[in-house]
Amino acid sequence: QVQLVESGGGLVQPGGSLGLSCAASGSIFSINPMAWYRQAPEKERELVAEITSGGSTRYTDSVKGRFTISRDSAKDTVYLQMNSLKPEDTAVYYCYAVVQTTSAFSSSFSFWGQGTQVTVSS
């Protein structure tokens, strides 16, 4: 079974920085894409950043210029570096990955991490 384990969440003051990581483990042939989502209280879960196996990235407008997503394919790990954090960034951040478990089939499966709390407050 594929599992995604996030780490790096916590409490940070406005303007501060925080780095998140997510490591995938299990029966994995390839992963494409990997992404970070977040869900604030009483709001829908939204895509924060996404990265493909080729290194292409996209971000929600509110985090452009502040957040950077990257990945280490050899370690099946995705990272999210968050700078210039704002109170509105407060949310539970979830790692997401579309995993191909075998080369014999075209089917892919999506997996979610358990989530890690990021709180931006003074």
Side-chain angles (χ1 to χ4, degrees), residues 6-101:
E6 304 108 325
S7 63
L11 174 65
V12 65
Q13 292 185 320
S17 298
L18 203 61
L20 306 180
S21 65
C22 171
S25 62
S27 182
I28 299 171
F29 178 74
S30 63
I31 307 176
N32 188 35
M34 298 190 82
W36 288 96
Y37 286 72
R38 68 185 180 188
Q39 188 166 20
E42 307 300 323
K43 293 188 176 182
E44 296 291 321
R45 189 172 298 186
E46 66 170 345
L47 175 68
V48 178
E50 181 183 87
I51 186 167
T52 69
S53 60
S56 297
T57 60
R58 62 173 179 148
Y59 302 87
T60 189
D61 287 343
S62 64
V63 308
K64 288 181 179 177
R66 300 189 297 119
F67 291 11
T68 302
I69 188 170
S70 61
R71 67 184 290 174
D72 185 339
S73 295
K75 297 181 179 180
D76 292 329
T77 300
V78 64
Y79 306 92
L80 185 67
Q81 180 62 45
M82 304 182 291
N83 299 324
S84 301
L85 284 161
K86 304 174 180 179
E88 48 264 46
D89 294 318
T90 296
V92 177
Y93 284 69
Y94 295 91
C95 181
Y96 171 85
V98 179
V99 179
Q100 296 79 51
T101 59

